[in-house]
Amino acid sequence: MTDSVAIVLVSGGLDSMISAALAREAGYRLMALSFDYNQRHHIELAAARRVAATLGAERHIVMPMDLRAFGGSALTADIDVPKQGVGDDIPVTYVPARNTIFLSLALGWAEASGARDIYIGVNALDYSGYPDCRPEFIEGFEKLAELATKAGVEGTPFRIRAPLQHMTKADIVREGTRLGLDMGLSWSCYDPAPGGLHCGLCDSCRLRAKGFEEAGIADPTQYAAQP
């Protein structure tokens, strides 16, 4: 156990919720960081606030930025969200360099606050194939953090914690159950349906539903269409 502070990236999604809860279980005091990057919808930010409050974050910053100015993704431009199912290619819902940007800001807050641990809920098994969710990326960013900061140069490096890295969605759902979390507080859908429902057909909805089904745990999510 520890009484240290951890910066936890909280998107409002299921993975970031479980990652942050694991940081809390390890004894860290939580400082939650979310991003209002002018994404396709803001339902996930409402979920992020619920999650941060439920987990007892001591502080929750929602950082504003405008990645829509760059575009290049179905989440930041007028591009349709794919609904055909999870494919083998990197989908158009990938936001260019998003996790690099988010971790860079988390690193800045970590150094300013004296935290040395940053938690991010990426995983590289049941996911959409985003390059910035792979173990190589996490390892590379941790090395960059050591080289790019005063703390790293002076011998107190940062640790990028990705506790879900090698879990399936079913594993993640089981962890949420073990931790006693209300996973219905989280939000995964890329393209919300009217009435605040998950669409059920985007990659994120399909992966979420698959996780609950394979874990044999009741899915609290309300879908507009059956995944």
Side-chain angles (χ1 to χ4, degrees):
M1 297 292 286
T2 178
D3 191 41
S4 298
V5 173
I7 307 299
V8 293
L9 292 177
V10 178
S11 68
L14 180 61
D15 294 352
S16 70
M17 181 185 196
I18 307 304
S19 173
L22 288 169
R24 183 183 66 173
E25 183 183 53
Y28 288 95
R29 294 156 44 215
L30 306 186
M31 306 277 269
L33 181 59
S34 306
F35 297 93
D36 181 352
Y37 59 94
N38 205 5
Q39 58 265 55
R40 190 179 188 92
H41 61 80
H42 284 78
I43 292 177
E44 66 180 25
L45 289 174
R49 292 184 177 94
R50 291 194 299 268
V51 168
T54 297
L55 295 178
E58 295 184 9
R59 190 177 177 196
H60 182 203
I61 292 177
V62 180
M63 181 72 68
M65 64 178 70
D66 186 12
L67 295 186
R68 187 169 284 272
F70 297 161
S73 167
L75 304 189
T76 56
D78 294 326
I79 301 170
D80 290 339
V81 172
K83 303 287 182 72
Q84 298 83 10
V86 182
D88 296 326
D89 298 329
I90 297 171
V92 72
T93 50
Y94 163 71
V95 178
R98 180 173 60 179
N99 283 342
T100 306
I101 295 166
F102 290 177
L103 279 174
S104 296
L105 288 164
L107 178 63
W109 191 16
E111 187 164 33
S113 66
R116 290 295 175 268
D117 294 271
I118 299 170
Y119 275 73
I120 183 170
V122 296
N123 74 90
L125 293 182
D126 285 337
Y127 77 124
S128 294
Y130 299 157
D132 54 1
C133 289
R134 297 174 300 161
E136 306 94 291
F137 168 72
I138 296 299
E139 292 164 9
F141 192 93
E142 191 171 77
K143 181 61 177 176
L144 179 150
E146 181 180 351
L147 296 172
T149 59
K150 178 177 183 289
V153 169
E154 292 180 348
T156 54
F158 297 89
R159 293 170 291 269
I160 311 300
R161 307 286 194 183
L164 314 185
Q165 187 78 81
H166 302 291
M167 291 185 185
T168 64
K169 276 290 194 226
D171 293 333
I172 292 166
V173 168
R174 292 187 191 102
E175 276 293 271
T177 301
R178 182 187 66 79
L179 291 161
L181 300 175
D182 178 0
M183 291 178 279
L185 295 175
S186 65
W187 182 271
S188 298
C189 182
Y190 291 146
D191 192 23
L197 302 178
H198 282 63
C199 76
L201 299 176
C202 69
D203 285 6
S204 191
C205 280
R206 291 176 188 271
L207 289 168
R208 182 184 177 104
K210 176 175 181 279
F212 280 99
E213 181 180 2
E214 292 184 351
I217 292 169
D219 187 350
T221 313
Q222 292 186 304
Y223 300 101
Q226 190 62 40

